[in-house]
């Protein structure tokens, strides 16, 4: 079944365990009430209560433990489903013990509660039909097993062959019936998987979700090339007014076209773009193996000045091409800049998410139509003053300001300004002067690099570097004790992300996905 369908199934394992825990709690209550409800059998009831409480407490404990296991194994759905089948069998064993421990309980048993477990559990937690059948037959056999154990203990049940046949047969009938919902749900899962083929790509697990859409892993059906698919479902487009849906569609289309028309190796590559049979808009982009700059600093602390110059310079090459074509990214931030492995090169920068891109020459009316009413687009901690105020046309120098904010984050591990709310953050960008990175960084930031970052953060756009190409030249003229080179980058990756340096065979791709962050084009 598709990974996200399996994920939902795994959540139901926890729900089923919670239901079973509630039933065992009810059993405990009934066991302890029976001593005064059935005074005619006081001696029998007293003997049974101790055994029944032991079984009930054990069942309650196992059910609660299963809830915990379901939470821990949610990232390994197939393993969790197998453990869940074991939980079903163990629960049936406890019910069998409850049914056959004492002849007093057998006399009014009727159809065993094991039948309910056999039918109920596979219907909400469907494993493969073969595994469901095996687990159901074992569970069904718990009543005969405990009957035989009772005979060995010397219990006299007083049941003839026909009575035993009627007692045990419903269990096995239910075991056969349990296969039906398992096969139906598995079949639906396969149909969902086939329905998720977009163009030449097959949709995989859901890995992220944001305002512009959901992001899934994907594989080319012929080339087996890993990719990421970003899509907007029809129900998302229908969630608001027609004008809001038009804005979402146009922004989605613009992001795809902007990425497709840019050729810099430091810009995320677009593979495909289109409309699925169900009306979903989608585009397919390369799957990046690495860390975005936000997570890199969060995990490993501020970066050395030489490495910051190296990474920002590559981002400038991507944005320089966009600026040359009259495009403004408008959402530059650490989570949209990824240091990744490309071939034998590491610390290779990729710029993501052109979802807010605009043409600097576009008229104001057009741009207003492409944003939601009364909403400032971008991320407050990295937003230029003119974007926050909306009092002048936004051009490429807004990206320069955002790159200055990113450089500040990389050097210091903190944003340029701190504020409790988004509006307060915007006002600080408009009104407050930033402090030099060297005054708050634990690293030795040179005065020249300080000056570059502060020039990028100038309130007046005319005081900033004119475009990304100008900033690139200034960065690489900045004096450094030693430039950040391939050997230093390789040593860092070998220490912190060694799994991403190994050849990515089909088997290694799955292992690396668990050991390191795989970065996908998303909504940051």
């Amino acid at each position: 079944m598709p990974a996200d369908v399996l994920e939902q199934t795994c959540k139901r394992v926890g729900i089923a365990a919670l239901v079973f825990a509630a039933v065992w709690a009810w059993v405990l209550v009934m066991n302890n009430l029976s001593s005064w409800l059935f005074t005619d059998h006081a001696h029998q009831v007293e003997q049974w209560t101790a055994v029944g409480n032991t079984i009930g407490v054990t069942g309650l404990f196992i059910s609660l433990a299963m809830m915990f296991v379901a939470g821990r194994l949610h990232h390994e759905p197939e393993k969790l489903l197998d453990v869940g089948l074991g939980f079903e069998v163990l629960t049936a064993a406890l019910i069998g013990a409850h049914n056959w421990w004492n002849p007093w309980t057998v006399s009014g048993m009727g159809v065993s509660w094991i039948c309910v477990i056999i039918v109920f559990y596979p219907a909400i937690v469907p494993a493969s039909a073969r595994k469901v059948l095996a687990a159901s037959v074992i569970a069904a056999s718990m009543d005969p097993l405990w009957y035989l154990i009772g005979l060995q203990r010397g219990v006299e049940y007083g049941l003839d062959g026909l009575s035993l046949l009627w007692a045990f047969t419903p269990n096995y009938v239910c075991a056969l019936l349990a296969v039906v919902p398992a096969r139906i749900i598995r079949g639906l899962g396969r149909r969902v998987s086939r329905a998720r083929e977009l163009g030449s790509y097959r949709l995989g697990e859901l890995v992220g979700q944001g305002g512009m859409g959901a992001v899934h892993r994907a594989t080319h059906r012929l080339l087996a090339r890993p990719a990421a698919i970003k899509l907007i479902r029809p129900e998302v487009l229908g969630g608001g007014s027609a004008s809001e849906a038009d804005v979402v569609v146009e922004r989605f289309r613009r992001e795809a076209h902007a990425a497709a028309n840019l050729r810099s190796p430091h810009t995320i590559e677009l593979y495909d773009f289109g409309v699925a049979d169900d009306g979903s808009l989608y585009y397919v982009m390369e799957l990046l193996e690495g860390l975005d700059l936000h997570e890199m600093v969060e995990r490993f602390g501020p970066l050395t000045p030489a490495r910051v110059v190296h990474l920002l310079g590559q981002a400038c090459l991507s944005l320089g091409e966009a600026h040359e074509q009259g495009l403004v990214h408008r959402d530059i931030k650490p989570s949209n800049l990824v240091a990744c492995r490309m071939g034998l090169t590491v610390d290779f920068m990729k710029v993501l998410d052109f979802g807010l891109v605009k043409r600097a020459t576009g008229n104001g009316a057009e741009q207003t139509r492409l944003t939601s009413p009364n909403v400032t687009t971008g991320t407050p901690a990295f937003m230029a003053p003119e974007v926050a105020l909306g009092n002048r046309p936004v051009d490429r120098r807004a990206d320069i300001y955002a790159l200055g904010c990113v450089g500040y984050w990389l050097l210091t591990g903190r944003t340029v300004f701190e504020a409790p709310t988004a509006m307060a953050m915007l006002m600080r960008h408009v009104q407050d002067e930033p402090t030099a990175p060297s005054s708050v960084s634990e690293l030795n930031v040179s005065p020249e690099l300080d000056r570059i970052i502060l020039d990028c953060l100038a309130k007046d756009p005319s005081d900033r570097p004119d475009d990304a190409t100008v900033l690139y030249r200034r960065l690489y003229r900045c004096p450094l004790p030693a430039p950040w080179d391939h050997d230093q980058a390789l040593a860092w990756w070998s220490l912190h992300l060694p799994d991403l340096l190994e050849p990515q065979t089909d088997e290694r791709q799955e292992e690396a996905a668990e050991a390191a962050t795989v970065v996908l084009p998303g909504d940051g």
Side-chain angles (χ1 to χ4, degrees):
M1 291 195 295
D4 58 324
V5 175
L6 276 177
E7 183 180 351
Q8 291 299 319
T9 298
C10 289
K11 291 181 180 178
R12 293 199 291 271
V13 174
I15 294 173
L18 177 62
V19 171
F20 288 5
V23 172
W24 284 118
W26 173 78
V27 168
L28 286 170
V29 171
M30 293 302 296
N31 278 338
N32 289 281
L33 283 177
S34 59
S35 59
W36 59 271
L37 289 176
F38 301 100
T39 54
D40 293 340
H41 303 275
H43 179 67
Q44 293 174 310
V45 170
E46 184 178 351
Q47 288 182 323
W48 165 243
T49 299
V51 176
N53 283 346
T54 301
I55 294 172
V57 169
T58 303
L60 179 61
F61 174 78
I62 291 173
S63 299
L64 294 176
M66 189 64 215
M67 289 177 59
F68 174 77
V69 171
R72 295 297 296 270
L73 290 182
H74 67 89
H75 60 290
E76 299 180 78
E78 292 290 355
K79 180 184 291 186
L80 178 57
L81 292 182
D82 290 342
V83 173
L85 290 176
F87 168 64
E88 176 193 359
V89 171
L90 191 55
T91 301
L94 291 173
I95 294 174
H98 193 278
N99 289 342
W100 295 92
W101 190 265
N102 193 304
W104 179 73
T105 58
V106 172
S107 59
M109 185 179 69
V111 176
S112 173
W113 280 93
I114 290 179
C115 291
V116 178
I117 301 299
I118 291 173
V119 174
F120 169 79
Y121 189 81
I124 65 168
V125 187
S128 66
R130 184 178 301 174
K131 290 181 178 179
V132 166
L133 179 60
S136 298
V137 169
I138 295 172
S141 301
M142 289 302 156
D143 274 336
L145 176 64
W146 281 103
Y147 169 73
L148 294 175
I149 292 173
L151 293 180
Q152 293 297 316
R153 292 173 45 239
V155 178
E156 296 182 3
Y157 294 105
L159 299 175
D160 57 23
L162 183 60
S163 298
L164 291 174
L165 180 66
W166 279 106
F168 298 148
T169 299
N171 291 14
Y172 292 100
V173 172
C174 289
L176 295 176
L177 293 177
V179 177
V180 177
R183 290 183 63 87
I184 291 175
I185 296 175
R186 282 272 165 167
L188 290 175
R190 287 191 291 270
R191 289 176 61 186
V192 169
S193 182
R194 288 194 295 269
R196 287 177 171 179
E197 294 181 357
L198 302 176
S200 298
Y201 290 84
R202 177 166 294 150
L203 214 59
E205 65 178 301
L206 177 69
V207 295
Q209 204 154 8
M212 282 291 290
V215 181
H216 293 255
R217 295 181 191 274
T219 306
H220 193 282
R221 286 184 290 171
L222 299 179
L223 301 178
R225 173 176 61 182
I229 289 185
K230 189 174 185 179
L231 61 93
I232 298 179
R233 294 288 189 186
E235 57 266 25
V236 176
L237 299 179
S241 66
S243 61
E244 290 174 343
D246 290 342
V247 167
V248 173
V249 171
E250 180 57 24
R251 282 179 58 186
F252 193 85
R253 182 197 64 79
R254 174 169 291 202
E255 179 174 3
H257 280 277
N261 290 326
L262 297 173
R263 292 291 180 265
S264 170
H266 298 289
T267 300
I268 189 79
E269 184 180 355
L270 178 72
Y271 295 152
D272 201 358
F273 170 65
V275 181
D277 293 339
D278 64 354
S280 302
L281 302 170
Y282 72 92
Y283 64 83
V284 188
M285 304 183 84
E286 62 183 318
L287 185 68
L288 303 180
E289 297 164 343
L291 290 177
D292 67 61
L293 299 188
H294 181 271
E295 184 173 2
M296 182 176 286
V297 172
E298 286 284 332
R299 287 176 60 179
F300 305 111
L303 309 186
T304 63
R307 193 178 188 188
V308 172
V309 167
H310 175 73
L311 295 173
L312 288 183
Q314 295 178 78
C316 287
L317 293 176
S318 170
L319 292 174
E321 182 193 16
H323 293 168
E324 198 172 76
Q325 295 187 24
L327 298 173
V328 184
H329 188 287
R330 293 202 300 170
D331 199 21
I332 293 296
K333 55 187 176 182
S335 58
N336 279 339
L337 302 174
V338 179
C340 58
R341 173 195 171 185
M342 298 293 290
L344 298 179
T345 304
V346 291
D347 261 11
F348 192 92
M349 177 59 62
K350 285 282 188 175
V351 179
L352 315 183
D353 203 357
F354 282 77
L356 299 181
V357 71
K358 69 179 282 289
R359 288 199 172 273
T361 56
N363 63 65
E366 178 194 5
Q367 299 311 322
T368 300
R369 288 196 298 270
L370 295 183
T371 57
S372 300
N374 304 317
V375 174
T376 302
T377 55
T379 304
F382 303 90
M383 191 177 293
E386 65 271 20
V387 179
L389 291 173
N391 60 352
R392 66 171 74 188
V394 174
D395 61 20
R396 57 190 179 274
R397 292 169 296 186
D399 287 345
I400 301 300
Y401 187 93
L403 271 180
C405 294
V406 171
Y408 200 100
W409 166 260
L410 297 179
L411 290 168
T412 67
R414 62 177 70 182
T415 55
V416 178
F417 301 111
E418 301 290 339
T421 65
M423 182 57 67
M425 177 69 77
L426 293 177
M427 294 312 300
R428 292 206 67 183
H429 279 286
V430 171
Q431 298 172 350
D432 296 356
E433 292 297 328
T435 58
S438 60
S439 65
V440 293
S441 177
E442 61 190 43
L443 304 171
N444 185 20
V445 181
S446 67
E448 292 83 1
L449 186 53
D450 262 347
R451 186 71 266 155
I452 291 174
I453 298 298
L454 292 176
D455 285 350
C456 291
L457 297 175
K459 304 298 182 190
D460 189 337
S462 62
D463 294 332
R464 302 172 200 154
D466 190 57
D467 61 22
T469 304
V470 173
L471 177 57
Y472 174 83
R473 289 196 291 266
R474 287 191 61 181
L475 284 168
Y476 277 90
R477 286 200 302 265
C478 183
L480 296 167
W484 182 261
D485 58 21
H486 174 73
D487 291 339
Q488 294 180 73
L490 191 60
W492 188 93
W493 282 63
S494 297
L495 177 63
H496 298 294
L497 298 172
D499 293 296
L500 292 183
L501 296 180
E502 298 182 22
Q504 294 297 294
T505 61
D506 291 343
E507 293 80 7
R508 286 297 309 148
Q509 285 177 3
E510 183 175 350
E511 294 174 8
E514 298 177 357
T517 301
V518 176
V519 183
L520 301 152
D523 297 282

